[in-house]
Amino acid sequence: MNILVCITHVPDTTSRIAFTNDNTEFDKNGVQFIIGPYDDYALARAVELKEQNGGKITVLNVGEADSDPTIRKALAIGADEAIRVNAFPSDSYFVANQIAAIAKDGGYDLILMGRESIDFNGGMVHGMVGELLGLPSFSPVMQLEVEGNSAKITREIEGGKEKLEVSLPFVAGCQEPIAEWKIPNMRGIMSARTKPLNVVEPTDNATHSEMAAYELPAEKGAVKMIDADNVGELVDLLKNEAKVI
Amino acid sequence: MSVLVFIETEEGKIKKSAREAISYGAALGDVTALALGTVSQDELATAGENGASKVLHVSDERLNASLIQPYAEAIAAAANATGSEIIVTAKSSLADAVVGRVAIKLGASLVSNVVALPDTSNGFQVKRSIYTGKAFANVNLTTDKKVLAIKKNAIEVKTDGAAASVEALSVTLDDSLFGATITSTEKAEGDVLLPEADIVVSGGRGLKGPENWGVIEDLAKTLGAATGCSKPVSDMDWRPHHEHVGQTGVKVSPTLYVAVGISGAIQHLAGVNSSKYIVVINKDEEAPFFKAADYGIVGDAFEVLPKLNEALKAALA
């Protein structure tokens, strides 16, 4: 089985979000970058499927050189080789186009990625890639079992879940509980150093949008503490101050 | 300007988030709403209240199963049929999966998590939520056609419109688009849908076990709220995954979020930080969630919640 796993290189969830250069750039100062948490689920499931069925996992990132440590971590977790499209991921259209350009001749049985990145939270690249490649796409996928040329998937729907049977190949946007995240072991970390990480240039620079400026939300006021023996005060505040009930 | 709004329905009713999307579209131009699958004409006509002048209905029964490819095909076909420059939908699990395909089919730019009307004074700039609600980005869309997915509860529902005319739209949907077979659907019945909810009551490990969820459900019932939970709770199977609120679960943006027995890990906060008001009830006065709250009570959930429920019932009676 030949699996392409697309990963994002994103600030850790706990990162302080700040902007620089007149609010036009994300401030990376002191920020730890990680594999997108949803992408991590996709990668973990790919590793399990490879263990069951054999095959190869290629991990793909559209990003600049500072993505390389994140990509090496994916190799340490179990990907066999990596491709980095050497470009700033300007918008979802640009990223999807680059993924499709890599995937179209790769003969992949599955193209997996997270349901969304945790920086831009768009959740739409999987559909774009599916459409560009003429493949079905499914998201958010919570379970994925492969048998020969077909797969059973469970996707989340609002307030529940749905099981589907589908044929390979397809694109899936993944989320928990599709697999347990995998932590690289020492052997994986050592072998990742020698696995190929191929850097390729983007096929084109077409985008559909331009970033103008970032903003931070207004600061929240201090919490009002209410005595546990006086819940009526909370009801009064919700009714007359917040006006939410 | 012609605007097409794709509206999702649930149990034969137009979702609240779809009414928000129609209201958004109505502020931009003449709205044609689009509904797919079996829905009554009477229900569809109510889209007029929110600002749609017309509703197109593709009633093909095959669309009752919300499969991604035929949905994308039908939406793109409707956009072409109406000559719409802007396609609007509410952000949802289904819409997220569909609109990327729609944007590619139409050669349109696509922006998700939109939280405000566009600034059209110099081009077309929209404000979107990013970093899981921790920031916003103002983005210029550079194509003629645009697809916008609106964040839930970000736009007030307009209610002063009239009834819309409902017209059938015929779209050719090749059988090959229906390649996936749905074998089962599990859905919570009668509950308020969590991503749509105006009020959410969530429980965490402080509830000590699934058998104690009655106090959460009672409070939710009184408030007309959806119930949610923290990640450890869904990991331990106390509650189903679709109730898990947080970074890797459902992200909510209600007007009121009540967190009970949840300490407030940053991953949980990432799923709730778009809430308008947050109430935290926790035994541990050091719980980090209090820092993100508007109102807080330090106390035992099993003592506080029944009293709060009674007080709310009296206030809402």
Side-chain angles (χ1 to χ4, degrees), chain A:
Chain A
M1 184 175 298
N2 194 7
I3 307 174
L4 182 67
V5 181
C6 308
I7 63 166
T8 52
H9 164 76
V10 290
D12 180 86
T13 309
T14 59
S15 304
R16 183 184 72 95
I17 303 298
F19 302 102
T20 180
N21 200 8
D22 207 14
N23 282 332
T24 58
E25 278 178 43
F26 177 74
D27 185 356
K28 293 180 182 175
N29 198 16
V31 171
Q32 163 118 23
F33 280 76
I34 57 168
I35 300 173
Y38 295 106
D39 308 323
D40 233 340
Y41 284 114
L43 177 61
R45 187 61 191 140
V47 171
E48 291 170 357
L49 288 170
K50 187 192 154 187
E51 284 166 3
Q52 290 165 15
N53 303 291
K56 188 174 90 170
I57 299 169
T58 304
V59 68
L60 170 62
N61 170 257
V62 180
E64 296 173 307
D66 61 354
S67 289
D68 285 351
T70 301
I71 297 171
R72 288 282 174 211
K73 186 180 172 198
L75 291 168
I77 286 170
D80 298 289
E81 61 178 39
I83 303 168
R84 177 168 63 79
V85 177
N86 186 29
F88 179 75
S90 325
D91 71 359
S92 55
Y93 176 74
F94 175 78
V95 171
N97 242 348
Q98 302 312 317
I99 294 172
I102 297 288
K104 72 179 165 48
D105 300 320
Y108 297 106
D109 301 298
L110 286 171
I111 300 171
L112 306 181
M113 62 187 80
R115 67 175 291 182
E116 66 181 48
S117 67
I118 64 158
D119 49 4
F120 277 70
N121 311 110
M124 289 154 186
V125 169
H126 39 75
M128 289 177 154
V129 171
E131 187 65 28
L132 287 164
L133 294 171
L135 293 177
S137 56
F138 303 96
S139 181
V141 174
M142 303 165 71
Q143 286 171 342
L144 168 60
E145 303 291 340
V146 177
E147 287 171 28
N149 198 34
S150 65
K152 290 181 178 169
I153 65 177
T154 303
R155 67 170 173 173
E156 185 162 278
I157 53 174
E158 290 191 348
K161 55 188 178 181
E162 210 159 54
K163 294 187 175 180
L164 300 97
E165 289 183 2
V166 301
S167 297
L168 272 49
F170 59 84
V171 182
C174 304
Q175 69 167 40
E176 65 179 348
I178 196 166
E180 290 279 334
W181 283 349
K182 306 216 175 316
I183 297 164
N185 55 29
M186 190 47 72
R187 192 168 155 226
I189 293 166
M190 297 304 285
S191 67
R193 292 180 185 171
T194 55
K195 288 178 181 175
L197 195 173
N198 301 309
V199 178
V200 300
E201 294 304 311
T203 51
D204 63 42
N205 292 312
T207 60
H208 278 170
S209 61
E210 290 163 1
M211 183 62 63
Y214 296 102
E215 276 179 44
L216 290 172
E219 293 267 341
K220 225 176 161 107
V223 59
K224 280 189 186 171
M225 297 306 292
I226 295 141
D227 193 283
D229 293 326
N230 190 14
V231 292
E233 189 189 343
L234 174 61
V235 175
D236 182 56
L237 287 165
L238 292 175
K239 197 168 180 176
N240 299 313
E241 185 178 79
K243 297 186 170 62
V244 290
I245 60 166

Side-chain angles (χ1 to χ4, degrees), chain A residues 13 38 119-121 131 135 137 155-156 158 161-163 165 176 210 212-213 215 224 226 241, chain B residues 15 66 101 128 131-132 134 136 138 140 152 181 183-186 241 244 247 251 294-296 315:
Chain A
T13 309
Y38 295 106
D119 49 4
F120 277 70
N121 311 110
E131 187 65 28
L135 293 177
S137 56
R155 67 170 173 173
E156 185 162 278
E158 290 191 348
K161 55 188 178 181
E162 210 159 54
K163 294 187 175 180
E165 289 183 2
E176 65 179 348
E210 290 163 1
E215 276 179 44
K224 280 189 186 171
I226 295 141
E241 185 178 79
Chain B
K15 285 174 148 185
S66 45
R101 303 193 76 109
R128 62 176 297 188
Y131 294 108
T132 325
K134 288 197 276 190
F136 300 102
N138 293 296
N140 293 318
K152 288 175 181 176
T181 310
T183 54
S184 74
T185 302
E186 287 175 37
H241 179 265
H244 161 203
Q247 172 82 67
K251 288 184 271 296
D294 297 280
Y295 306 117

